Amino acid sequence: MIGRHYVLTGGTSGLGQSILHILLQKQVYVTVLVRNPDKLKMLQSKYGSSQLTILQCDLQSPAQIANLSSQFKGETIDGIIYSAGLGYFKSMDQHTNKDMLDTYTLNLINFNLLLTTLQPHLSQMPTIVGIGSQSAFLTQAYAAHYGASKAAFNQVLNALRIEKPNYHVLTVNTGPIATPFHAKADPSLAYSQKYKKIMLNSDKLAEQIINGIITKKIEINKPRWMHMMLKIYQLAPRFIEKHSTFLFKNKI
Ligand SMILES: NC(=O)c1ccc[n+]([C@@H]2O[C@H](COP(=O)([O-])OP(=O)(O)OC[C@H]3O[C@@H](n4cnc5c(N)ncnc54)[C@H](OP(=O)(O)O)[C@@H]3O)[C@@H](O)[C@H]2O)c1
């Protein structure tokens, strides 16, 4: 990946931040799209502004995404890694209109807007990495819109792989990761405390993702045991939901 140019979202926190560190260590040129550039100024002084470009962009804003086009004039982008995401762990009636719109806009719709905006600057065979979730594969009580947005994101990435055969599209379906995501999804931290033991390490997962980019994987499903269990669940999902309902109410 040395000398390649990647655009990364979510680089200020959690998994995206872990990915950013590895990319920089691998001498990749990275352009990060962030809401608050100050969060990465220290890293930029370490690696230099030619290796790490910081562009301010609120990914909830279609106008700010559209404005990016002019910033990439004359540049080639070898890959996009979309790690920005959010979710709320609460019941459907507790989701406000804004909660729902923010979830689908960031996790799904504005990925598509960003891709379309950056498309003219992509190399011949670019890599597109989408950070999805294992929650795409099961019914998520108390995280319905998060799960739904990730299920839709999965479908969009799968369709993109077919529509653009010259693209390497890598979908990362991950189980819980120990990141600040949980404090935002559920400020009571009930879920993250309960599942602390099974949470993935973001640095380790980031290594696996970079490896997946290099070896041209099309899917990474972690942890493996969770993915296998969800495959079994898919054989009779409504039956299992009816008879083991507690498994689907674990977000609160
Ligand atoms: N953590 C988990 O258990 C888990 C499990 C499955 C899937 N995932 C997925 O993994 C991905 C990374 O999550 P994470 O755990 O690393 O979460 P995180 O630590 O909360 O990081 C989220 C990142 O998204 C950025 N972001 C949020 N809203 C944005 C906006 N409007 N414009 C620009 N950037 C925005 C945040 O920027 P700021 O620094 O400005 O807030 C932050 O860098 C997400 O897609 C998430 O859905 C996470």
Side-chain angles (χ1 to χ4, degrees):
M1 293 176 79
I2 296 173
R4 295 288 166 99
H5 177 202
Y6 273 72
V7 172
L8 170 70
T9 73
T12 49
S13 177
L15 180 60
Q17 195 172 50
S18 297
I19 293 172
L20 176 59
H21 283 278
I22 301 176
L23 290 174
L24 293 170
Q25 281 155 18
K26 284 196 175 298
Q27 296 170 40
V28 174
Y29 291 95
V30 189
T31 301
V32 283
L33 308 179
V34 299
R35 289 190 283 199
N36 180 358
D38 287 343
K39 288 191 179 178
L40 292 177
K41 285 282 187 225
M42 290 250 293
L43 205 62
Q44 195 182 41
S45 348
K46 181 172 170 195
Y47 286 93
S49 53
S50 68
Q51 201 192 340
L52 175 58
T53 306
I54 305 174
L55 295 183
Q56 187 163 25
C57 179
D58 182 345
L59 291 166
Q60 294 285 3
S61 161
Q64 290 187 30
I65 293 172
N67 275 341
L68 289 172
S69 190
S70 57
Q71 314 251 25
F72 287 94
K73 225 173 181 173
E75 287 189 37
T76 301
I77 300 167
D78 297 298
I80 300 172
I81 303 175
Y82 198 86
S83 188
L86 66 80
Y88 296 107
F89 294 174
K90 53 189 176 185
S91 66
M92 286 197 279
D93 50 21
Q94 284 173 329
H95 273 80
T96 63
N97 197 30
K98 183 176 183 316
D99 291 341
M100 290 186 276
L101 288 172
D102 283 356
T103 303
Y104 292 106
T105 303
L106 182 67
N107 295 0
L108 178 69
I109 295 164
N110 285 0
F111 159 75
N112 201 145
L113 274 190
L114 179 67
L115 182 66
T116 310
T117 303
L118 299 186
Q119 224 142 27
H121 308 281
L122 293 177
S123 62
Q124 284 291 320
M125 298 172 78
T127 294
I128 311 296
V129 182
I131 309 300
S133 170
Q134 288 292 333
S135 67
F137 306 123
L138 82 161
T139 300
Q140 293 273 294
Y142 305 101
H145 294 294
Y146 179 64
S149 72
K150 291 296 185 181
F153 188 41
N154 215 274
Q155 292 287 349
V156 163
L157 291 168
N158 289 337
L160 179 67
R161 195 177 292 116
I162 295 172
E163 286 184 19
K164 301 280 184 193
N166 56 318
Y167 287 16
H168 165 218
V169 180
L170 167 59
T171 311
V172 179
N173 297 308
T174 168
I177 322 165
T179 70
F181 173 91
H182 295 282
K184 302 171 215 168
D186 170 17
S188 81
L189 294 178
Y191 175 84
S192 68
Q193 296 290 354
K194 205 160 36 165
Y195 293 96
K196 207 158 52 185
K197 284 212 176 97
I198 63 156
M199 288 217 181
L200 299 171
N201 174 289
S202 65
D203 293 334
K204 218 163 143 188
L205 182 59
E207 283 284 359
Q208 289 160 340
I209 293 168
I210 301 299
N211 195 40
I213 294 174
I214 294 167
T215 57
K216 297 250 184 285
K217 279 196 171 160
I218 58 171
E219 255 186 35
I220 291 176
N221 290 291
K222 295 283 174 189
R224 192 106 200 102
W225 62 265
M226 188 180 282
H227 189 60
M228 296 320 280
M229 276 176 67
L230 291 174
K231 287 265 180 229
I232 296 166
Y233 152 76
Q234 284 302 338
L235 296 174
R238 301 297 87 79
F239 178 86
I240 296 173
E241 283 161 19
K242 188 169 174 194
H243 295 282
S244 302
T245 315
F246 68 95
L247 290 173
F248 304 89
K249 300 201 293 190
N250 66 356
K251 284 289 193 283
I252 52 160

